[in-house]
Amino acid sequence: MTTETSPAEPRDLPDYAAARAELLERPGLTGRPRRAALARLTDHWLAGLLASAGAPGSGVALVAVGGYGRGELSPRSDLDVLLLHDGPIARELPERIWYPVWDAGAKLDHSVRTVAEARSVAAADLKAQLGLLDARHLAGDAALTSALRSAVLTDWRASAPARLPELRELGRERAERHGELSFLLEPDLKEARGGLRDLVALDAIAATWLADAPRDGLDAAALRLADVRDALHLVTGRATERLSLQDQDQVAERLGVLDADTLLRQVYEAARTIAYAGEVTWRAVDRVLAARATRGRRPGRAAFRFTGIGRGAGAVARGAVERRPLAEGVVEQDGEAVLAQAARPATDPVLPLRAAAAAAQNGLTVSYATVRRLAAECRPLPVPWPDEAREQLVTLLGAGEAAVPVWEALEAEGLVTRLLPDWERVRCRPQRNAVHRWTVDRHLVETAVRAAAMTRRVARPDLLLIAALLHDIGKGWPGDHSEAGEVIVRDLAARMGFGPEDTETLAVLVRHHLTLVDTATRRDPDDPATVETITKAVGTLPELELLHALTEADALATGPAAWSGWRASLVDGLVARVAAQLTGAGGAPVDGALADGALADGALADGALADGARAGGAPSGAPTAEQERLAVEAACTGAPALSLLAQAEGADPGTEPMGVELTLAVPDQPGLLGTVAGVLALHRLAVRSAGLRELDPIGAGPVLLLSWRVAAEFGELPEAARLRADLRRALDGSLDVSRRLAERDAAAPRRKGIPTPPPVVAVAPAVASASATVLEVRAHDAPGLLHRIGRALDGAGVRVRTAHVSTLGADAVDSFYLTDAAGRPLTAERAAEVAAAVRAALG
């Protein structure tokens, strides 16, 4: 008697389950070779199943799709298989293939379709279309598989303009559901942003021939995530994609990694590479699709025009491409910051920070090609940094949310660790605390983002932003991170070129960034020792302002559990008591503590200005011989006298901004400050610091002495003779500066830029000056800002006796000492009216 073999139980086929188990445990076979070997084993098995199922010799093919189609299988991956046919097939044929797969314990995602049906499904279902893009022939009619691949690719390329936005939206939805792989303590290796699913999207974009991802490091990142996923499958015995806390030690051990933290750092680094590649690629897609749409709307010959002035700022537009100047050596093109044609990265080490700051302040990012070029060609900054480098870093951080993608671009090419070597220890470092939502380095950036919204609350926004960026820098070292951070920040502050006083302030902020909230929430607020704890840490009101803002920014960046209305009220109350103690007002709280931006008693008199801020502009001490000479000349001639000293004379042009020290002496006249500031704005000179004071050199009446430190907005200084001529014309009334500025802005409007905190205009308490009323203005710096303030003060009919003007990054912190026509301080009512007029002028 003979036995008949059932088609569903074929003979002479390998025991797939046993062979698979042996392969997964084979010594020395890991990673990509093991995934490829598992795919080959499965290919052979499925091909045998198709043959034993009695499939006809033509018109039927078995096709791997999706992840299996890419030729690699993880230990617990599903088998995505399509039975392709070109006509009627026996109903039993698919069952003779699928049932043995299920019996072997493999997870199967299967379908049976003709080429036309597969194309129809793909047209309706993007996920199905993505799977078919990786179609790979397994067995049967190879010509049928080839026809499917050709048709699917043709359809994909033809429908790309419509389908790519849908693909992007799928990615956004996944990111919202699963978060960012780079920051999660229990990340989903496949679905989170920066995970394996994003690699599939990048391959799909490349298949359209419209754009391709930057490939440097991408393959290594994909390999790392795939290896971790394999280890996770083997450790858990399940097809899981979530790297749970309880599995991380075993996964690390299986991969030969030191510990779970090292494992997470490797995962985070891979995810950042993938996420950044995705951002770059999607921007390229946007440019291509926008260009296609523009060509469709604008048939015929392209326009050709120029905008902007200055070297490297001649913005040329050919067709849809427009180059608009942003800063020296930096222009906007296609929604990104790129290098101007005249830029010379090899001789301009500040250029990376200048490009980053310009991009962030305009709500842009730096193009991939530009960041790559900057990383390759720019030499390291000298130590200590030039002033401009420090100012540009502060300007970048002051952009708030807009700084994040720019920072990520710099980090992707290693520019951040080149600027701040200690950053490497905190980069991608996990924080195993449920309260924290970010890695250490991203928490520091997020704290700076939060601090950027608080810059109007402090007299030194630059110190607040730098302290925010560095407050947890000690977490990369053993011991108390606050103590370690204090040591590190002293070194970094000196490296950045901060003076001794500012370095000390930064050290205090880093050392005590937890002191305020810990004391407020754990100590008795009515105990004098509680206040004393803080007064021992900070000795001045400006430092208290800074610590208060840093405390709040740090907590808000940590996560929702770290800051609440209750915590905020406790901290505010403690700050008010400490402020009262520092001002000698006893233990009573100060009315309206510093949180609302009100100026504290003595804030102007004690440390409000930067180290050396007055040296470059605001006059202090006895006038110099040159200043006296100019004052005498102005008093004798009745005309303005000025001197210009180029800052870059005799210096390396790559280490200092192209700028000038401008000293101007003019017989006293109304509207002087605003008029001169307007002329400088007209010549595209950005005011970094300025000062004004009165002299009477020959007893013939007061002469106003104005000292300025200015930098050319686009790197090219105006001719001194032309600047002198325009100043004289503006002062004698023959040049209407306001009208000229308005005409220029109307002809070439500036980019709107990013949202910024509203300006704060406040009258300081009377203790700030006995002989004048002090008006402090804190605002986002912008061309013509000082001109508008000066016009408002002139329109209000007050005299500016002295002024101290400082631009700290992107923030202006200006103090004006005002009197009435008789030289007396303003009444409280009059001062309030003047403040309102300035506030209105700033809009």
Side-chain angles (χ1 to χ4, degrees), residues 461-668:
D462 56 333
L463 297 184
L464 172 61
L465 292 169
I466 295 297
L469 182 70
L470 300 177
H471 73 278
D472 275 348
I473 198 72
K475 285 190 174 178
W477 295 83
D480 186 317
H481 77 277
S482 298
E483 295 177 0
E486 179 185 2
V487 175
I488 296 168
V489 83
R490 288 182 188 277
D491 178 66
L492 284 175
R495 180 187 186 89
M496 293 179 184
F498 282 105
E501 291 183 13
D502 287 350
T503 297
E504 185 61 32
T505 299
L506 288 169
V508 167
L509 294 174
V510 171
R511 175 67 181 88
H512 294 289
H513 70 272
L514 296 175
T515 301
L516 200 55
V517 69
D518 285 350
T519 304
T521 55
R522 300 176 184 178
R523 301 278 291 275
D524 180 1
D526 296 322
D527 186 343
T530 302
V531 171
E532 187 179 358
T533 299
I534 307 303
T535 57
K536 285 182 178 179
V538 296
T540 66
L541 282 172
E543 282 188 353
L544 181 62
E545 284 182 343
L546 288 166
L547 187 61
H548 188 189
L550 176 60
T551 299
E552 185 174 341
D554 180 20
L556 290 171
T558 298
W563 195 246
S564 63
W566 171 73
R567 285 176 180 263
S569 66
L570 291 178
V571 170
D572 289 349
L574 178 57
V575 167
R577 287 176 170 82
V578 174
Q581 184 72 29
L582 291 174
T583 57
V590 174
D591 185 26
L594 308 167
D596 63 357
L599 299 178
D601 288 355
L604 295 172
D606 189 3
L609 294 179
D611 283 357
R614 302 186 184 195
S620 60
T624 65
E626 175 65 9
Q627 290 171 342
E628 286 187 341
R629 183 190 68 78
L630 293 172
V632 169
E633 180 183 337
C636 292
T637 63
L642 65 88
S643 69
L644 295 169
L645 176 64
Q647 283 184 308
E649 288 180 359
D652 180 349
T655 61
E656 282 292 340
M658 293 296 291
V660 295
E661 298 280 357
L662 186 154
T663 305
L664 176 67
V666 187
D668 192 8

Side-chain angles (χ1 to χ4, degrees), residues 119-209:
R119 293 176 70 183
S120 177
V121 169
D125 184 347
L126 178 58
K127 293 180 180 179
Q129 189 169 34
L130 293 175
L132 289 172
L133 289 175
D134 293 308
R136 180 172 62 87
H137 182 70
L138 294 177
D141 190 342
L144 194 59
T145 304
S146 180
L148 173 68
R149 281 185 52 81
S150 178
V152 167
L153 283 170
T154 299
D155 292 345
W156 176 242
R157 287 164 186 154
S159 63
R163 303 230 77 171
L164 286 178
E166 186 180 350
L167 177 61
R168 176 180 246 177
E169 188 57 33
L170 277 179
R172 286 172 176 161
E173 290 173 359
R174 281 191 292 103
E176 288 178 3
R177 286 196 307 271
H178 300 281
E180 294 194 58
L181 179 52
S182 301
F183 309 116
L184 296 169
L185 275 177
E186 294 187 311
D188 188 306
L189 300 172
K190 190 173 183 179
E191 302 294 343
R193 180 175 180 263
L196 294 167
R197 189 75 75 184
D198 281 352
L199 290 167
V200 176
L202 292 177
D203 287 341
I205 294 171
T208 66
W209 292 348

Side-chain angles (χ1 to χ4, degrees), residues 267-641:
V267 168
Y268 293 162
E269 287 172 355
R272 289 191 188 185
T273 299
I274 295 168
Y276 178 63
E279 288 297 320
V280 170
T281 306
W282 280 116
R283 291 201 302 270
V285 169
D286 289 342
R287 288 195 298 273
V288 172
L289 296 184
R292 286 189 171 192
T294 301
R295 285 199 299 270
R297 291 194 304 266
R298 294 183 181 179
R301 210 165 159 186
F304 179 50
R305 68 186 182 90
F306 292 82
T307 61
I309 65 170
R311 185 183 66 200
V316 183
R318 290 185 178 90
V321 178
E322 181 177 319
R323 294 170 68 84
R324 184 186 301 273
L326 298 175
E328 180 189 354
V330 188
V331 298
E332 175 190 352
Q333 179 179 310
D334 291 330
E336 296 179 319
V338 304
L339 295 186
Q341 293 178 353
R344 298 292 180 265
T347 60
D348 189 357
V350 182
L351 188 55
L353 283 172
R354 191 185 310 123
Q361 285 293 327
N362 285 277
L364 307 171
T365 191
V366 185
S367 79
Y368 172 70
T370 295
V371 178
R372 296 269 295 174
R373 185 181 172 193
L374 291 171
E377 297 183 24
C378 282
R379 68 178 189 270
L381 283 167
V383 178
W385 291 5
D387 289 347
E388 189 202 2
R390 186 176 63 254
E391 291 167 0
Q392 296 292 359
L393 175 60
V394 172
T395 301
L396 167 61
L397 299 176
E401 289 284 355
V404 175
V406 177
W407 189 271
E408 290 176 340
L410 297 181
E411 184 190 59
E413 296 300 330
L415 285 168
V416 171
T417 49
R418 185 187 299 181
L419 291 166
L420 306 170
D422 292 280
W423 195 260
E424 184 60 34
R425 281 184 172 266
V426 297
R427 183 175 179 272
C428 293
R429 180 174 292 275
Q431 303 203 74
R432 295 188 176 276
N433 185 324
V435 174
H436 277 280
R437 57 183 297 195
W438 305 109
T439 55
V440 176
D441 61 330
R442 183 56 180 268
H443 168 70
L444 294 174
V445 174
E446 290 291 333
T447 303
V449 168
R450 298 287 187 167
M454 303 176 188
T455 51
R456 303 294 176 266
R457 289 169 42 175
V458 299
R460 290 298 304 278
D462 56 333
L463 297 184
L464 172 61
L465 292 169
I466 295 297
L469 182 70
L470 300 177
H471 73 278
D472 275 348
I473 198 72
K475 285 190 174 178
W477 295 83
D480 186 317
H481 77 277
S482 298
E483 295 177 0
E486 179 185 2
V487 175
I488 296 168
V489 83
R490 288 182 188 277
D491 178 66
L492 284 175
R495 180 187 186 89
M496 293 179 184
F498 282 105
E501 291 183 13
D502 287 350
T503 297
E504 185 61 32
T505 299
L506 288 169
V508 167
L509 294 174
V510 171
R511 175 67 181 88
H512 294 289
H513 70 272
L514 296 175
T515 301
L516 200 55
V517 69
D518 285 350
T519 304
T521 55
R522 300 176 184 178
R523 301 278 291 275
D524 180 1
D526 296 322
D527 186 343
T530 302
V531 171
E532 187 179 358
T533 299
I534 307 303
T535 57
K536 285 182 178 179
V538 296
T540 66
L541 282 172
E543 282 188 353
L544 181 62
E545 284 182 343
L546 288 166
L547 187 61
H548 188 189
L550 176 60
T551 299
E552 185 174 341
D554 180 20
L556 290 171
T558 298
W563 195 246
S564 63
W566 171 73
R567 285 176 180 263
S569 66
L570 291 178
V571 170
D572 289 349
L574 178 57
V575 167
R577 287 176 170 82
V578 174
Q581 184 72 29
L582 291 174
T583 57
V590 174
D591 185 26
L594 308 167
D596 63 357
L599 299 178
D601 288 355
L604 295 172
D606 189 3
L609 294 179
D611 283 357
R614 302 186 184 195
S620 60
T624 65
E626 175 65 9
Q627 290 171 342
E628 286 187 341
R629 183 190 68 78
L630 293 172
V632 169
E633 180 183 337
C636 292
T637 63

Side-chain angles (χ1 to χ4, degrees), residues 34-35 67-68 70 72-78 80 188-191 195-197 200 221-243 251 254-255 263 267:
R34 181 173 59 198
R35 291 189 292 275
Y68 181 30
R70 290 187 287 277
E72 292 188 10
L73 279 176
S74 288
R76 295 289 175 175
S77 289
D78 294 353
D80 297 332
D188 188 306
L189 300 172
K190 190 173 183 179
E191 302 294 343
L196 294 167
R197 189 75 75 184
V200 176
L223 189 63
R224 170 48 55 182
L225 290 191
D227 288 351
V228 174
R229 184 188 186 213
D230 285 1
L232 180 62
H233 284 187
L234 292 172
V235 163
T236 62
R238 296 180 288 110
T240 180
E241 312 297 343
R242 186 168 297 282
L243 185 58
V251 171
R254 188 164 193 111
L255 290 171
L263 171 68
V267 168

Side-chain angles (χ1 to χ4, degrees), residues 661-681:
E661 298 280 357
L662 186 154
T663 305
L664 176 67
V666 187
D668 192 8
Q669 65 183 77
L672 182 64
L673 179 65
T675 300
V676 176
V679 172
L680 297 179

Side-chain angles (χ1 to χ4, degrees), residues 31-75:
R32 180 172 283 169
R34 181 173 59 198
R35 291 189 292 275
L38 183 55
R40 287 193 300 271
L41 173 67
T42 307
D43 292 353
H44 177 69
W45 178 52
L46 291 176
L49 290 177
L50 179 67
S52 66
S58 64
V60 174
L62 203 58
V63 182
V65 298
Y68 181 30
R70 290 187 287 277
E72 292 188 10
L73 279 176
S74 288

